[in-house]
Amino acid sequence: MSLALTDLSRYPVVQAPMAGGASGPPLAAAVAEAGGLGFLAAGYKTADGMYQEIKQLRALTGRPFGVNLFMPQPPLADLSAVEVYRHQLAGEAAWYETPLGDPDPGGDDGYEAKVAILLEDPVPVVSFTFGCPGREVLDAFAAAGTFTVVTVTSAQEARNAQWAGAHAVCVQGVEAGGHQSTHRDDPQGGLTGTGLLTLVAEVRESVQLPLVAAGGLMRGSQIAAVLAAGADAAQLGTAFLACPESGAHPLHKQALTNPLFVTTALTRAFSGRPARGLVNRFVREHGPYAPAAYPQVHQLTSGLRKAAARTGDAQGMALWAGQGHRMARELPAGELVELLAAETDAARAAVSGRSTR
């Protein structure tokens, strides 16, 4: 690979691929044009839907961008827990006057078809969530000239990604909004994780790959901190949710700074996988009982979440957000990238100035 992580963008700012509609072509293009690395989220889309968004993005910018893929999930050995959860959600279905979804036992998200498209018509960067591809897939992307990034939540996952041939790892701390990208969701492991700065240090000592740090980052001073800790770039998701180019629902954007939502929590309530979101009624009432069953629970609750959005009820929506959500700024994405870069430079200069006194 002649391409390096630092060649992909002017600034060490990566816009996180947020599945569900937030990270579409307008946001990715605005970030890329301003000097960051924009990302499309292919999760929950068909292979053709992903390809159409890539074409739209290419019409908006000629700068490098990335596409994120969800790794296929192993089949559930026992669907009985999903059926129990279905009965627990019966009241929600009645309240929103919408049927519960049919949990498909498969969980590949069209992975093979998406990989085939991306190898036939390569994009600059492809990242992976919920696991690590085999060496043959990563080697194929390398041969196509695509820079590959595997999202990890532990030093061991990072070592596995390095062994498989990834070009970089995205180190995701527990502070991150949305799904935790653990390579194996352990039902007995609880809703826990490692803080970003500690995790960056652990991974930095474990692999020789470039690191992208992700998790609760909202300001340039935080970007400077993770760069000082050993990261090569910082990935921000929640910070870009409030931008006008974001495809997030208006209620989701408003909730980020709404005093009604005071905290976030990791929950399986909406998808069956640990994901960080604003604590609302749905999380409080159903989080303690949701089984470790992804994507079955995601499919089960899909109609409920859409009905809640249609009726303007944020208490029934999946309001994914990182721990720094109250610091969200409603700025155009390009302005936000420039501001983050300026804040990062100022923070690094301040530290450098203090160190020379």
Side-chain angles (χ1 to χ4, degrees):
M1 282 292 298
S2 60
L3 192 66
L5 181 61
T6 52
D7 296 331
L8 295 169
S9 59
R10 185 185 325 139
Y11 305 126
V13 176
V14 180
Q15 164 249 310
M18 297 170 282
S23 301
L27 179 60
V31 170
E33 285 293 302
L37 179 62
F39 255 95
L40 293 176
Y44 308 139
K45 292 184 175 70
T46 64
D48 183 64
M50 175 196 75
Y51 184 59
Q52 295 304 319
E53 287 206 346
I54 291 172
K55 290 203 299 184
Q56 292 171 34
L57 179 53
R58 283 174 168 154
L60 294 172
T61 182
R63 298 184 183 276
F65 64 91
V67 175
N68 176 257
L69 301 181
F70 284 176
M71 290 297 297
Q73 298 300 290
L76 284 183
D78 183 8
L79 286 171
S80 60
V82 179
E83 286 306 306
V84 171
Y85 196 50
R86 172 189 288 278
H87 290 300
Q88 291 173 335
L89 295 177
E92 298 284 352
W95 175 257
Y96 289 114
E97 299 181 335
T98 191
L100 295 171
D102 182 19
D104 184 337
D108 68 356
D109 198 51
Y111 174 76
E112 296 290 346
K114 291 172 182 176
V115 167
I117 288 173
L118 292 170
L119 288 175
E120 182 178 342
D121 190 2
V123 300
V125 187
V126 171
S127 69
F128 302 89
T129 294
F130 302 151
C132 180
R135 176 173 289 275
E136 66 282 358
V137 172
L138 292 172
D139 285 350
F141 275 115
T146 296
F147 189 89
T148 55
V149 184
V150 173
T151 310
V152 302
T153 60
S154 71
Q156 183 58 57
E157 290 175 354
R159 287 190 289 269
N160 293 344
Q162 179 173 262
W163 181 86
H167 296 124
V169 290
C170 178
V171 181
Q172 185 194 46
V174 73
E175 305 95 335
H179 285 97
Q180 288 286 294
S181 186
T182 51
H183 292 187
R184 177 177 175 271
D185 182 17
D186 182 4
Q188 310 303 321
L191 298 174
T192 60
T194 304
L196 180 58
L197 286 177
T198 297
L199 189 58
V200 166
E202 290 179 354
V203 173
R204 181 73 287 159
E205 293 184 3
S206 300
V207 300
Q208 302 301 312
L209 299 175
L211 310 186
V212 179
L217 304 176
M218 302 293 289
R219 295 287 187 269
S221 57
Q222 295 171 298
I223 295 174
V226 296
L227 296 178
D232 299 272
Q235 179 171 286
L236 296 82
T238 306
F240 286 103
L241 268 182
C243 295
E245 298 91 344
S246 159
H249 192 282
L251 286 177
H252 192 167
K253 295 182 180 185
Q254 295 163 13
L256 296 175
T257 53
N258 186 335
L260 184 64
F261 302 101
V262 298
T263 189
T264 65
L266 288 174
T267 182
R268 286 191 170 95
F270 294 104
S271 73
R273 241 186 182 273
R276 183 173 297 282
L278 300 175
V279 176
N280 58 9
R281 178 193 60 78
F282 199 99
V283 171
R284 287 192 296 269
E285 293 183 2
H286 302 294
Y289 312 106
Y294 176 88
Q296 288 78 16
V297 171
H298 166 79
Q299 294 156 345
L300 192 67
T301 66
S302 177
L304 297 179
R305 289 178 274 124
K306 292 175 181 176
R310 282 196 306 270
T311 58
D313 182 10
Q315 295 296 335
M317 297 170 60
L319 303 172
W320 303 135
Q323 287 185 343
H325 65 95
R326 299 302 295 273
M327 302 168 72
R329 298 179 282 202
E330 194 175 339
L331 295 172
E335 288 186 24
L336 181 57
V337 170
E338 295 282 358
L339 180 56
L340 288 167
E343 291 174 344
T344 302
D345 288 343
R348 298 177 87 174
V351 171
S352 177
R354 286 196 295 269
S355 67
T356 57
R357 290 174 188 167

